[in-house]
Amino acid sequence: MDLNFTPEELAFQQEVREFLAENLTDDIRCDTARNSSVFVEKDLALRWQAILVKKGWAVPQWPVEHGGTDWTPAQKYLFSRECYLAGAPMLIPLGLLMLAPVIMAFGSEQQKSEYLPKILSGEHYWCQGYSEPGAGSDLASLKLKAQADGDDYIVNGSKIWTTHAHLADQIFCLVRTDNTGKPQQGISFLLIDMNTPGVRVDPILTMAGDHEVNQVFFEDVRVPQSNRIGEENKGWTYAKYLLEFERGGGFSAPRILHELDRLKQQVSERAASTPGFDASGDIARRIARVEIDLKALEITELRILSDVSGGGNPGPESSILKLNTTRLEQEINE
């Protein structure tokens, strides 16, 4: 892999910098910096998304025919890196980077034409209904039941830890459509309008007092079977596909590099003001170790993005990326 950027790629990097300088306003940057949650506020994310949609840069990961760019993996990486360095907010990935690839791969043509434009425009704001009380890490044990009734399903049960459910107007859910056989074989992938009668959202406040996550209850919620993605009882396959994109569909290395640069600046300032600071070199060695591991993460992300750009999907390596990203962030914060 050639890690040197071409003159054309460097010219693209300059174009991105000029776009950010002109369009990333101080209020957007300041609101992003103040955010302490997993996702930025809905209104902030949608404001920035609208700016990127107008430019045609909102979904570089999507195929061109659905509104994506024809950028190379290097261009996508440079765009992601420059956005982080400039302090731009991260777009909410639930619809854009998680659900959309599933619809593109397994949805009907009618579902693609119905949902993808609304995901891109922000008209639909999605949340994810996977975890349940008693079905988190052991996701296949989920019990949210969808009973066929004519052309509809009747849905009963609940989902928990549902991020931004109180703000969303749509939810994509894993539901139980068959109790026979292996647990993984009786799961379907269903799209549900949050305004449907019988849907209730109860807040869960974090230890910090934030309201990000919720429990969502479904009581005799009637959902058209036409809202099911793909085949009945094949939802486990679609769920695993989605999780590959959740864990490996974007770039974490630029964000971690930004955090590492801040740490190095703090260390430099402390060393300048405190004689004998880190005399043993322990901190310097730990930072060097993080830098080496971060470079490995960066190269792996570029390799995976190259596969995705060629029509593939992130694959099981995405789980390794998730683990290494979390470990590096923990080490920097420690």
Side-chain angles (χ1 to χ4, degrees), residues 8 49 170 175 181-182 204 218-219 257 262 307 328 333:
E8 292 77 15
Q49 182 172 326
Q170 307 286 329
V175 299
K182 294 175 60 178
I204 299 175
F218 302 85
E219 183 175 355
L257 179 61
R262 292 174 59 194
D307 292 339
L328 287 172
N333 281 286

Side-chain angles (χ1 to χ4, degrees), residues 16-25 29 48 51 55:
V16 173
R17 288 175 176 174
E18 292 172 356
F19 168 78
L20 291 170
E22 182 177 346
N23 292 275
L24 184 60
T25 59
R29 187 182 294 107
W48 183 236
I51 292 171
K55 179 67 173 177

Side-chain angles (χ1 to χ4, degrees), residues 175-187:
V175 299
R176 174 71 57 192
T177 45
D178 189 354
N179 283 312
T180 64
K182 294 175 60 178
Q184 294 87 344
Q185 295 175 344
I187 294 172

Side-chain angles (χ1 to χ4, degrees), residues 88-105:
M90 182 185 75
L91 299 184
I92 308 299
L94 295 165
L96 294 170
L97 300 184
M98 294 163 59
L99 175 60
V102 174
I103 294 176
M104 292 176 196

Side-chain angles (χ1 to χ4, degrees), residues 7 41 96 120 171 188 197 252 270 298 318:
E41 294 295 331
L96 294 170
L120 183 57
I171 182 171
S188 297
S252 295
R270 180 64 63 86
E298 182 180 34
S318 60

Side-chain angles (χ1 to χ4, degrees), residues 44 90 95 116 178-179 240 261 320 334:
L44 176 62
M90 182 185 75
L116 293 178
D178 189 354
N179 283 312
K240 290 189 296 181
D261 287 342
I320 299 173
E334 183 181 298

